[in-house]
Amino acid sequence: MNITFVEAQKKLEDITAEMLVLIRQYGLDAQSPFDVITVARHKIGNEQDYIRFLELSLEGRIYGEYAEALQKQMDQQSGDIDAATNNIH
């Protein structure tokens, strides 16, 4: 499945919105990114919400890395085009 950069960004926005609902609902207040899962495990009492939180965390990471790779690819292609254009002159 190939998705565009815009589609990846939209999916990240959707994931973030759903994640924020859970963060607010359960008062998740981790002091560092390394504590997020531990805090969630202790504060989220509903097993289904905890599983969804973990799913969103994983999906966010996957889509984030994918969007970052696409951005690097677009930047590289743009740089290649610029270099080619400069060589013409």
Side-chain angles (χ1 to χ4, degrees):
M1 173 174 116
N2 286 332
I3 62 172
T4 67
F5 181 76
V6 172
E7 291 169 332
Q9 289 293 89
K10 173 66 173 118
K11 184 66 175 172
L12 279 169
E13 290 172 12
D14 294 344
I15 290 168
T16 300
E18 189 175 346
M19 182 80 85
L20 286 173
V21 169
L22 291 171
I23 289 169
R24 288 183 188 120
Q25 180 178 349
Y26 290 100
L28 303 178
D29 57 354
Q31 297 300 315
S32 83
F34 302 109
D35 296 332
V36 170
I37 300 301
T38 303
V39 169
R41 185 180 308 121
H42 292 290
K43 289 193 169 187
I44 299 177
N46 180 305
E47 185 177 327
Q48 292 302 321
D49 285 348
Y50 179 67
I51 291 169
R52 186 61 187 142
F53 182 83
L54 295 176
E55 290 173 341
L56 290 167
S57 298
L58 181 58
E59 287 179 40
R61 173 130 189 192
I62 291 168
Y63 278 98
E65 289 180 5
Y66 183 76
E68 184 178 331
L70 285 177
Q71 183 66 54
K72 286 180 183 178
Q73 181 181 18
M74 290 185 303
D75 291 346
Q76 178 65 42
Q77 289 171 346
S78 177
D80 292 347
I81 290 170
D82 290 344
T85 303
N86 289 336
N87 287 336
I88 293 173
H89 294 116

